[in-house]
Amino acid sequence: MSALRGRFTRRGGGAIVHFDHPSIPDVIHFGGADWRAKREFHITLAGTTTMRMLTEDPDDVIKRAARRLTFSITTRDEFWHVREEKTRTIIRMCDISGAEEFFAALERELQIVIERPPYHVTLYTIGTLRGIGIATRAELERLGEPLTEPERDALLSVIQ
């Protein structure tokens, strides 16, 4: 898949890249359940909670770090099933150009090393409209499991 243009926004002290994901069905039956598609697609670079732990003024810091950067997203054929209590999501892992430059600028300004999040987009949900926040690889591995190749192929056959 070719890279998709991202639109950077600051939201509540966090940094998010929105993009237009190719059209997917509103509801799918997958893995024995009915899943609802998200209405908007984004990748969280740095969530509100993370940024508030790093600085008292996240909006200005984020604004400076993102200045003059452009972001583009390339989705990967790697999907995860994520669970948190009664909430479930299907996420798709992504690569995002511009993210490394953004984090390098944040690190220079804040004088700390920041762990990169597992870049992903939430495609489908059960029990939430928002998704499940995943800021670290450890959280992804604790809450999720990668779809097997047959599961991935079945999902792709339904959403493409």
Side-chain angles (χ1 to χ4, degrees):
M1 167 181 281
S2 61
L4 303 165
R5 184 175 167 272
R7 296 176 309 283
F8 182 83
T9 59
R10 290 173 288 137
R11 182 192 296 167
I16 294 170
V17 178
H18 292 269
F19 65 103
D20 296 324
H21 191 281
S23 168
I24 59 175
D26 288 339
V27 176
I28 61 169
H29 187 77
F30 176 76
D34 289 327
W35 298 82
R36 181 161 306 282
K38 287 252 340 240
R39 289 284 154 246
E40 57 87 26
F41 299 105
H42 70 267
I43 296 171
T44 302
L45 293 179
T48 303
T49 304
T50 299
M51 286 306 299
R52 287 194 179 135
M53 288 188 306
L54 299 176
T55 179
E56 292 180 11
D57 192 9
D59 281 334
D60 283 345
V61 170
I62 290 168
K63 186 177 182 179
R64 286 190 297 274
R67 187 173 292 138
R68 294 198 264 311
L69 291 179
T70 57
F71 297 90
S72 62
I73 294 93
T74 305
T75 56
R76 301 192 335 229
D77 283 344
E78 178 186 351
F79 298 86
W80 286 65
H81 181 194
V82 180
R83 292 180 181 91
E84 187 175 54
E85 298 175 14
K86 295 182 180 177
T87 301
R88 297 165 61 190
T89 63
I90 295 172
I91 64 171
R92 186 173 200 166
M93 304 311 289
C94 304
D95 296 314
I96 180 163
S97 71
E100 192 51 39
E101 295 84 347
F102 171 77
F103 278 105
L106 274 182
E107 289 176 336
R108 277 192 307 275
E109 180 159 342
L110 298 174
Q111 299 289 301
I112 57 170
V113 174
I114 302 169
E115 180 181 353
R116 308 309 189 248
Y119 302 126
H120 67 279
V121 59
T122 301
L123 299 179
Y124 287 95
T125 64
I126 293 176
T128 181
L129 297 176
R130 298 178 51 107
I132 298 170
I134 301 170
T136 65
R137 185 76 192 182
E139 285 179 338
L140 176 63
E141 291 175 1
R142 180 174 54 83
L143 298 173
E145 58 189 44
L147 295 189
T148 63
E149 192 172 334
E151 289 171 326
R152 182 202 69 204
D153 292 347
L155 178 63
L156 285 170
S157 74
V158 173
I159 68 172
Q160 290 183 329

